[in-house]
Amino acid sequence: MKRKLLCGLLAAASLCLPVRAARPAVLQVDGALLEAPAYVEEGTAYAPLRDLLEALGDWSVWWDGSAARAVSEDASLSADPDGNILTVNGKRFSCTVDVVEGRTYVPLRLTAEALGADVQWDPWLDGAAVTSPGAEHSAVDAFWLSRIIHAESGGEALEGQIAVGNVVLNRVESPDFPDSVPEVIFDDEHGVQFEPVANGTVLNEPTELSREAARRALSGENTAGDALYFFAPALSQGSWIDSSRTYRQTIGCHRFYQ
């Protein structure tokens, strides 16, 4: 199901890849998807350099006729496709540097980690997640929490959206549920836990308000207390929750239970 849902994200990317590339890949930085295509070849993810750097911060990027060059306030980088050399802050790395349809591609992990970022492979996204240096929260957590908040409560006020995020994070802390944000969201041990996972809306692009709700929830803001469950009476009877869990409060259109 998840792979089918991701086909739309990957279709455009597959049109603009090196002939030898194994497959397109999704790439996100600090919870936001990059529009430019990335790809995976022989186990290495390659990212479009300009798009990656601009997502990481305030970089100036240009092509000088033989190599891509970039500078920020405290770093410099060059990528030479003829010599297959990446240079970051004066340190040289021998690696594949490609130019595809006017875009310079560099090895993602090598480049991002040389700049102090963290890179994870996200199996639920089937792509790479980059957390920029100094980011307050994991890119994986920010990506999925903002999306489940948007899918479950995108029409709610900020308080209600934070509360949905609180439920996910409360489950992460509970010994009765999995130990990470995406594992909680995609948990299906006793059946799918969140309807947006079943219908695919968990992959929809969140609003800025939902992103803000995710940031606040991840930073510790709590409007749902110790709630582990919620449902919207207008959309679901919630008979099991009503009969077996302790009611805490109603926020917007959702009832919350411990």
Side-chain angles (χ1 to χ4, degrees):
M1 170 65 76
K2 177 168 67 69
R3 183 170 295 277
K4 181 178 179 181
L5 293 170
L6 288 171
C7 285
L9 295 172
L10 298 175
S14 65
L15 302 177
C16 306
L17 299 179
V19 173
R20 67 178 187 275
R23 64 185 179 91
V26 180
L27 173 59
Q28 62 104 339
V29 177
D30 292 334
L33 286 169
L34 266 64
E35 293 184 5
Y39 64 89
V40 175
E41 181 183 17
E42 297 183 352
T44 298
Y46 291 85
L49 179 63
R50 179 186 295 274
D51 300 84
L52 174 64
L53 293 179
E54 290 179 349
L56 286 173
D58 187 15
W59 282 82
S60 297
V61 186
W62 70 96
W63 180 262
D64 73 357
S66 62
R69 302 193 184 279
V71 295
S72 69
E73 183 176 348
D74 56 4
S76 64
L77 179 150
S78 67
D80 175 8
D82 290 331
N84 280 322
I85 296 293
L86 175 71
T87 305
V88 180
N89 295 330
K91 186 174 181 178
R92 290 163 58 90
F93 302 91
S94 179
C95 61
T96 299
V97 177
D98 254 330
V99 177
V100 183
E101 296 199 353
R103 284 194 176 101
T104 302
Y105 283 82
V106 294
L108 172 61
R109 183 176 296 278
L110 173 64
T111 306
E113 290 184 350
L115 294 171
D118 177 72
V119 181
Q120 293 178 263
W121 186 259
D122 182 348
W124 298 274
L125 181 64
D126 195 26
V130 179
T131 304
S132 64
E136 294 183 7
H137 311 295
S138 155
V140 173
D141 289 350
F143 184 90
W144 288 117
L145 193 62
S146 64
R147 277 159 175 75
I148 196 65
I149 287 172
H150 173 69
E152 288 282 10
S153 60
E156 295 290 296
L158 180 60
E159 179 188 13
Q161 295 197 38
I162 292 171
V164 168
N166 295 152
V167 168
V168 174
L169 296 176
N170 287 346
R171 289 189 178 194
V172 172
E173 295 300 318
S174 168
D176 297 326
F177 294 92
D179 297 328
S180 74
V181 168
E183 286 176 317
V184 163
I185 292 170
F186 290 99
D187 180 22
D188 60 359
E189 182 176 354
H190 303 292
V192 175
Q193 297 292 300
F194 297 95
E195 181 62 23
V197 171
N199 63 30
T201 55
V202 70
L203 288 170
N204 291 352
E205 186 70 16
T207 62
E208 184 51 43
L209 187 64
S210 294
R211 294 183 193 277
E212 176 66 15
R215 287 191 290 268
R216 292 195 182 200
L218 287 166
S219 294
E221 189 168 335
N222 189 314
T223 62
D226 58 0
L228 293 169
Y229 300 87
F230 65 86
F231 76 97
L235 302 176
S236 171
Q237 292 183 349
S239 55
W240 176 84
I241 296 177
D242 257 334
S243 63
S244 62
R245 311 306 300 189
T246 302
Y247 170 76
R248 289 305 193 202
Q249 62 179 316
T250 296
I251 304 176
C253 70
H254 289 109
R255 291 169 60 88
F256 291 83
Y257 295 75
Q258 200 279 328

Coordinates of all heavy atoms in Angstrom, one line a residue, residues 24-63:
P24 N 14.7 6.2 -8.8 CA 14.5 7.5 -8.1 C 14.2 7.4 -6.6 O 13.9 6.3 -6.1 CB 13.2 8.1 -8.8 CG 12.5 6.8 -9.2 CD 13.5 5.8 -9.6
A25 N 14.4 8.4 -5.9 CA 14.2 8.4 -4.4 C 13.7 9.7 -4.0 O 13.9 10.8 -4.6 CB 15.6 8.1 -3.7
V26 N 12.9 9.7 -2.9 CA 12.4 10.9 -2.3 C 13.4 11.4 -1.3 O 14.1 10.7 -0.6 CB 11.1 10.5 -1.5 CG1 10.5 11.8 -0.9 CG2 10.0 9.9 -2.5
L27 N 13.5 12.7 -1.2 CA 14.4 13.4 -0.3 C 13.7 14.5 0.4 O 13.0 15.3 -0.2 CB 15.6 13.9 -1.1 CG 16.6 14.8 -0.3 CD1 17.3 14.0 0.8 CD2 17.7 15.3 -1.3
Q28 N 13.9 14.5 1.8 CA 13.3 15.6 2.5 C 14.3 16.2 3.5 O 15.2 15.4 4.0 CB 12.0 15.2 3.3 CG 12.2 14.1 4.3 CD 12.2 14.6 5.7 OE1 12.4 15.8 6.0 NE2 11.9 13.7 6.7
V29 N 14.2 17.5 3.7 CA 15.2 18.2 4.6 C 14.3 18.9 5.7 O 13.4 19.7 5.4 CB 16.0 19.2 3.9 CG1 16.9 19.9 4.9 CG2 16.9 18.5 2.8
D30 N 14.6 18.5 7.0 CA 13.9 19.1 8.1 C 12.3 19.0 8.0 O 11.6 19.9 8.3 CB 14.3 20.6 8.3 CG 15.7 20.7 8.8 OD1 16.2 19.7 9.4 OD2 16.4 21.7 8.5
G31 N 11.9 17.9 7.4 CA 10.4 17.7 7.3 C 9.8 18.2 6.0 O 8.6 18.0 5.8
A32 N 10.5 18.9 5.1 CA 10.0 19.4 3.9 C 10.6 18.6 2.7 O 11.8 18.5 2.6 CB 10.3 20.9 3.7
L33 N 9.7 18.2 1.8 CA 10.2 17.5 0.6 C 10.9 18.4 -0.4 O 10.4 19.5 -0.6 CB 9.0 16.8 -0.1 CG 8.4 15.6 0.5 CD1 7.1 15.2 -0.2 CD2 9.3 14.4 0.4
L34 N 12.0 17.9 -1.0 CA 12.6 18.6 -2.1 C 11.9 18.3 -3.4 O 11.5 17.1 -3.6 CB 14.1 18.2 -2.2 CG 15.1 19.1 -1.5 CD1 14.9 19.1 0.0 CD2 16.5 18.7 -1.9
E35 N 11.6 19.3 -4.2 CA 10.9 19.1 -5.4 C 11.8 18.5 -6.5 O 11.3 17.7 -7.3 CB 10.3 20.4 -5.9 CG 9.2 20.9 -5.0 CD 8.5 22.2 -5.6 OE1 8.9 22.5 -6.8 OE2 7.7 22.8 -5.0
A36 N 13.0 18.8 -6.4 CA 14.0 18.3 -7.4 C 14.2 16.8 -7.2 O 14.3 16.4 -6.0 CB 15.3 19.0 -7.4
P37 N 14.4 16.0 -8.2 CA 14.5 14.6 -8.1 C 15.9 14.2 -7.5 O 16.9 14.8 -7.7 CB 14.4 14.0 -9.5 CG 14.8 15.1 -10.4 CD 14.3 16.4 -9.7
A38 N 15.9 13.1 -6.7 CA 17.1 12.5 -6.2 C 17.1 11.1 -6.7 O 16.1 10.6 -7.3 CB 17.1 12.5 -4.7
Y39 N 18.2 10.3 -6.5 CA 18.2 8.9 -7.0 C 19.1 8.1 -6.2 O 20.0 8.7 -5.4 CB 18.5 8.9 -8.5 CG 19.9 9.3 -8.9 CD1 21.0 8.4 -8.9 CD2 20.1 10.6 -9.3 CE1 22.2 8.9 -9.3 CE2 21.4 11.1 -9.7 CZ 22.4 10.2 -9.7 OH 23.7 10.6 -10.0
V40 N 19.0 6.8 -6.2 CA 19.8 5.9 -5.6 C 20.5 5.0 -6.6 O 19.8 4.4 -7.5 CB 19.1 5.0 -4.6 CG1 20.0 3.9 -4.0 CG2 18.4 5.8 -3.5
E41 N 21.8 4.9 -6.5 CA 22.6 4.1 -7.4 C 23.6 3.2 -6.6 O 24.4 3.8 -5.9 CB 23.3 4.9 -8.5 CG 24.1 4.1 -9.5 CD 24.9 5.0 -10.4 OE1 25.1 6.2 -10.1 OE2 25.3 4.5 -11.4
E42 N 23.5 1.9 -6.8 CA 24.4 1.0 -6.1 C 24.5 1.3 -4.6 O 25.6 1.3 -4.0 CB 25.8 1.1 -6.8 CG 25.8 0.6 -8.2 CD 27.2 0.6 -8.8 OE1 28.2 1.1 -8.2 OE2 27.3 0.1 -10.0
G43 N 23.4 1.6 -4.0 CA 23.3 1.8 -2.6 C 23.6 3.1 -2.1 O 23.6 3.4 -0.9
T44 N 24.0 4.1 -3.0 CA 24.3 5.4 -2.6 C 23.2 6.4 -3.1 O 22.8 6.3 -4.3 CB 25.6 5.9 -3.2 OG1 26.7 5.0 -2.6 CG2 25.9 7.3 -2.8
A45 N 22.7 7.2 -2.2 CA 21.7 8.2 -2.6 C 22.4 9.5 -3.1 O 23.4 9.9 -2.5 CB 20.8 8.6 -1.4
Y46 N 22.0 10.0 -4.2 CA 22.5 11.2 -4.8 C 21.5 12.3 -4.8 O 20.3 12.1 -5.1 CB 23.0 11.0 -6.2 CG 24.2 10.1 -6.3 CD1 24.1 8.7 -6.3 CD2 25.5 10.6 -6.4 CE1 25.2 7.9 -6.3 CE2 26.6 9.8 -6.4 CZ 26.4 8.4 -6.4 OH 27.5 7.6 -6.4
A47 N 21.9 13.6 -4.4 CA 21.0 14.7 -4.2 C 21.4 15.8 -5.1 O 22.6 16.0 -5.4 CB 21.1 15.2 -2.8
P48 N 20.5 16.6 -5.6 CA 20.8 17.8 -6.4 C 21.4 18.8 -5.5 O 20.8 19.3 -4.5 CB 19.4 18.2 -6.9 CG 18.4 17.7 -5.9 CD 19.0 16.4 -5.4
L49 N 22.6 19.2 -5.8 CA 23.4 20.0 -4.9 C 22.8 21.4 -4.5 O 22.7 21.7 -3.3 CB 24.8 20.3 -5.5 CG 25.7 21.2 -4.7 CD1 26.1 20.5 -3.4 CD2 27.0 21.5 -5.5
R50 N 22.3 22.1 -5.5 CA 21.7 23.4 -5.2 C 20.5 23.3 -4.3 O 20.4 24.0 -3.3 CB 21.3 24.2 -6.5 CG 20.7 25.5 -6.3 CD 20.2 26.2 -7.5 NE 21.3 26.4 -8.4 CZ 22.0 27.6 -8.4 NH1 21.7 28.5 -7.5 NH2 23.0 27.8 -9.3
D51 N 19.6 22.4 -4.6 CA 18.4 22.2 -3.8 C 18.7 21.8 -2.4 O 18.1 22.2 -1.5 CB 17.5 21.2 -4.5 CG 17.1 21.7 -5.9 OD1 17.9 21.4 -6.9 OD2 16.1 22.3 -6.1
L52 N 19.7 20.9 -2.3 CA 20.1 20.4 -0.9 C 20.6 21.6 -0.1 O 20.2 21.8 1.0 CB 21.1 19.3 -1.1 CG 21.7 18.8 0.2 CD1 20.7 18.2 1.1 CD2 22.9 17.8 0.0
L53 N 21.6 22.3 -0.7 CA 22.2 23.4 0.1 C 21.2 24.5 0.4 O 21.2 25.0 1.6 CB 23.3 24.0 -0.7 CG 24.6 23.1 -1.0 CD1 25.6 23.8 -1.8 CD2 25.2 22.6 0.4
E54 N 20.3 24.8 -0.5 CA 19.3 25.9 -0.2 C 18.4 25.4 0.9 O 17.9 26.3 1.7 CB 18.6 26.3 -1.5 CG 19.5 27.1 -2.5 CD 18.8 27.5 -3.7 OE1 17.7 26.9 -4.0 OE2 19.4 28.3 -4.5
A55 N 18.1 24.1 0.9 CA 17.2 23.6 2.0 C 17.9 23.6 3.3 O 17.3 23.8 4.4 CB 16.7 22.2 1.7
L56 N 19.2 23.5 3.3 CA 20.0 23.4 4.6 C 20.3 24.8 5.1 O 20.6 24.9 6.3 CB 21.4 22.7 4.3 CG 21.3 21.2 4.2 CD1 22.7 20.7 3.8 CD2 20.8 20.6 5.5
G57 N 20.2 25.9 4.3 CA 20.5 27.2 4.9 C 20.7 28.2 3.8 O 20.3 28.1 2.6
D58 N 21.4 29.3 4.2 CA 21.6 30.4 3.3 C 22.9 30.2 2.5 O 24.0 30.6 3.0 CB 21.7 31.7 4.1 CG 21.8 33.0 3.3 OD1 21.5 32.8 2.1 OD2 22.1 34.0 3.8
W59 N 22.8 29.6 1.4 CA 24.0 29.3 0.5 C 23.8 30.1 -0.8 O 22.7 30.2 -1.4 CB 24.1 27.8 0.2 CG 24.6 27.0 1.3 CD1 24.0 26.5 2.4 CD2 26.0 26.5 1.4 NE1 24.8 25.8 3.2 CE2 26.0 25.8 2.6 CE3 27.1 26.6 0.6 CZ2 27.2 25.1 3.0 CZ3 28.3 26.0 1.0 CH2 28.3 25.3 2.2
S60 N 25.0 30.5 -1.3 CA 25.1 31.0 -2.7 C 25.7 29.9 -3.6 O 26.8 29.4 -3.2 CB 25.9 32.3 -2.8 OG 25.3 33.3 -2.0
V61 N 25.1 29.5 -4.7 CA 25.5 28.4 -5.5 C 25.6 28.9 -6.9 O 24.7 29.6 -7.4 CB 24.6 27.2 -5.4 CG1 25.1 26.0 -6.2 CG2 24.3 26.9 -4.0
W62 N 26.7 28.6 -7.6 CA 26.9 28.9 -9.0 C 27.8 27.9 -9.7 O 28.4 27.1 -9.1 CB 27.5 30.3 -9.1 CG 28.9 30.5 -8.7 CD1 30.0 30.4 -9.5 CD2 29.4 30.6 -7.3 NE1 31.2 30.5 -8.8 CE2 30.9 30.7 -7.4 CE3 28.8 30.7 -6.1 CZ2 31.7 30.8 -6.3 CZ3 29.6 30.9 -5.0 CH2 31.0 30.9 -5.1
W63 N 27.7 28.0 -11.0 CA 28.6 27.1 -11.9 C 29.6 28.0 -12.5 O 29.3 29.0 -13.1 CB 27.7 26.5 -13.0 CG 28.5 25.6 -13.9 CD1 28.9 25.9 -15.1 CD2 28.9 24.2 -13.7 NE1 29.6 24.8 -15.7 CE2 29.6 23.8 -14.8 CE3 28.7 23.4 -12.6 CZ2 30.1 22.5 -14.9 CZ3 29.2 22.1 -12.7 CH2 29.9 21.7 -13.8

